[in-house]
Amino acid sequence: MWDENLVKDKMAILIPTRNRPFLIFDLLVFILTSNLNIDLYIADSSSVENRVLLRKILSEIKKMDKNNILKINVIYFEDRPDVGLFYRKIIHAVKLIQHEYVFLLPDDDFPNFCIWGDVLKVFENDDSVSIVSSNYCNILEEKDAGKIEYKFTTAYRGRSQMEDSIYDRLKNYSECPQNFFYSVYRRETLYEAICVHAIDPPHPTSQEHRFALLNLVGGKRQHLPSHGMILRNSSENQRLVEVEAGITHSKEVMAQYKGDFSVKLFDGVSSMLNRLGRQEDFDSASILQIGEAIIDAHVQGDQENPDGSGLKIYTGFPGNEILKSSQEKFKINSKEMGRIFKNIVMCIEGRKKYKPLYDDRIDVQEIPVKEIYID
């Protein structure tokens, strides 16, 4: 059990999104069914058409929210497919958030709120922890003879970086470079790290690793053994096609970015230390070696996903293991995860049958959200 008022006072959810309003609908309905009183911030850089559709969706969500549980703030940005803009979106959103902790949540995945009591306990008991991450598993949506089926597939686990030394934390991460972008952060550390990272992010296939390392400069990472995130995958989902292409591209191209990544990592670590007013006794060569080790592991870890989806995933890192044994799979198929699974399917299927979203008579001007336009 955990104190819901404590969660509401101390934690907010930040959802970056672009041109995927219906995924936002699924996610918001899922959060609503969880009956969690929480503040939400949506950082949206969609086209005009999708922005209007998102407004309609938010209007419908408000009608469904009979008890006024969700407090939704929408921050609109210019419509541009720019990696730098993605991080600037987060900077502006985090500046507006007043909560101590921020949960970065992708628009196409689903959180397990049952672990949030454990998350808060870690933060409240240890001021040196700046990130709390958790294991995650996949829910695969695929068509079979015209019928859509949903099933749990692979699950992944990570490791903590709880060393007192900044260098030891970075070295630990280089031995298991599983990015933890979508986790819960202390707001102050997240803001400093994202400000440094947004100035000059490295190649897209490696940028999340530098972001992770900058956060580890700011504090420790406690990784929980629970499954805190359910990733939504689909055999026909364009997002996965893009992911697969990105991974293939990374294996061919990423090695040549090793030197660039390492240099930018060193510059970022130095900037982060300056912003935090800290000093650490290590030289540039040691940081460059960490950067090279991460890129090497990233390329070597490209393996086939055994769930039958035909996609490739990073499984070669020590500690980033697929849970294969029946005993470990049983942990995923617990009553708790079964309930979450049913809620996810209900939200996805329910939205597909939801006709009012296509009704242009909905008054899009009467939207109970805070709109902040940032160019």
Side-chain angles (χ1 to χ4, degrees), residues 51 76-80 85 88 92 372-375:
R51 187 175 296 180
Y76 289 114
F77 299 82
E78 57 187 316
D79 174 23
R80 193 170 74 238
L85 174 61
R88 291 196 296 276
H92 287 292
I372 305 169
Y373 290 83
I374 299 177
D375 295 324

Side-chain angles (χ1 to χ4, degrees), residues 218-271:
K220 301 175 183 177
R221 169 199 179 194
Q222 177 68 63
H223 186 83
L224 301 179
S226 309
H227 289 91
M229 187 83 78
I230 300 91
L231 278 62
R232 177 179 175 180
N233 290 343
S234 169
S235 55
E236 297 185 354
N237 193 325
Q238 180 61 31
R239 167 182 169 275
L240 290 187
V241 174
E242 294 170 355
V243 169
E244 182 179 17
I247 292 173
T248 303
H249 178 70
S250 72
K251 194 164 188 177
E252 297 173 349
V253 176
M254 198 165 180
Q256 65 182 284
Y257 286 92
K258 182 161 58 175
D260 179 64
F261 173 81
S262 299
V263 170
K264 289 183 177 179
L265 173 60
F266 176 75
D267 292 341
V269 169
S270 300
S271 297

